[in-house]
Amino acid sequence: MAYLEDHKAKFEDLNVSLDAKNRHQLKRKANGGNSIIFTYPPDEEILYTNKFMSLNEDQQYQFIDISKLLVDFIDLDGWKDFEAYYKDFKDTPHIIFKSDDESTDLMDLIINEIIAADQNGKIPVLTRTGALYGTGIENVNIMEHKTVMTLNNPLVIMYPSKIENENLYFLNFKLASKYRCTVID
């Protein structure tokens, strides 16, 4: 099992990246970005999430559950309205989940939670990011958001993925960007 062999080194690498003395290096490695992608095999998500949460004794992290925010987003209009809207835009899901209009969408909920964590002096950590699949929201949309790029604390994205031939694959199959981040693999 990869978790037993890899988790200690990954969390040590994460601590080094998050150390305040290394923040300038983070932005340099992340091409000006302010995010860390913490990779792990999708089938070991619960192990990594539980371990990460157990390391929060000093309450320096604020965990943001994307799956909960997805449910909250659907609840804004109710299931029936969401279902009808989704059917109308199933070929262009980004219109539902990440639009430029004034109505609140999933991307707005995510960014608002990240901002709140940062304003509370916490390091925001996105969990259950697999829930983003099919929404049209990519990790790069979050990492390149102007607010994320200027946070006081870096954003950590727990990312069920694999790295193969130097490429990052979300959920082990969807090619993903690692341009505006440091990758912990």
Side-chain angles (χ1 to χ4, degrees):
M1 178 181 262
Y3 174 77
L4 292 175
E5 300 164 6
D6 295 340
H7 83 280
K8 288 180 184 174
K10 285 186 181 205
F11 282 107
E12 286 172 12
D13 289 348
L14 178 64
N15 282 335
V16 168
S17 293
L18 290 172
D19 190 308
K21 295 178 286 191
N22 298 326
R23 298 278 171 91
H24 66 282
Q25 272 189 304
L26 171 67
K27 287 199 177 247
R28 192 169 39 92
K29 284 182 180 178
N31 300 301
N34 195 23
S35 300
I36 298 170
I37 288 190
F38 186 87
T39 67
Y40 53 87
D43 61 338
E44 295 179 356
E45 180 169 49
I46 195 73
L47 295 170
Y48 280 95
T49 302
N50 287 345
K51 179 62 177 178
F52 203 156
M53 289 181 172
S54 77
L55 299 173
N56 198 25
E57 293 172 357
D58 58 0
Q59 302 294 307
Q60 69 176 340
Y61 306 112
Q62 185 166 327
F63 295 96
I64 302 165
D65 185 334
I66 298 297
S67 65
K68 181 187 175 313
L69 292 179
L70 177 61
V71 171
D72 291 348
F73 170 67
I74 292 169
D75 286 346
L76 289 174
D77 293 323
W79 178 252
K80 292 289 184 195
D81 288 341
F82 173 79
E83 181 182 24
Y85 196 53
Y86 187 81
K87 285 179 181 177
D88 289 341
F89 293 97
K90 67 182 175 190
D91 294 329
T92 53
H94 64 279
I95 292 172
I96 300 169
F97 299 105
K98 179 184 62 88
S99 64
D100 292 330
D101 64 20
E102 69 280 346
S103 63
T104 300
D105 56 30
L106 179 58
M107 184 71 168
D108 295 331
L109 294 177
I110 293 168
I111 296 301
N112 289 340
E113 288 291 318
I114 292 169
I115 292 168
D118 192 60
Q119 288 175 342
N120 288 330
K122 308 286 186 186
I123 296 170
V125 180
L126 299 183
T127 64
R128 304 295 307 264
T129 58
L132 292 174
Y133 183 74
T135 65
I137 299 173
E138 305 281 335
N139 66 344
V140 73
N141 301 128
I142 296 169
M143 294 182 308
E144 289 188 336
H145 192 279
K146 65 182 182 228
T147 302
V148 171
M149 301 266 296
T150 61
L151 294 172
N152 294 316
N153 294 296
L155 170 66
V156 177
I157 303 172
M158 294 196 65
Y159 210 66
S161 58
K162 70 177 177 181
I163 296 178
E164 188 174 276
N165 299 324
E166 298 199 26
N167 291 316
L168 179 64
Y169 293 93
F170 181 56
L171 299 174
N172 289 358
F173 69 90
K174 184 172 184 334
L175 191 60
S177 176
K178 54 183 183 171
Y179 178 62
R180 292 282 188 195
C181 65
T182 295
V183 178
I184 306 292
D185 61 348

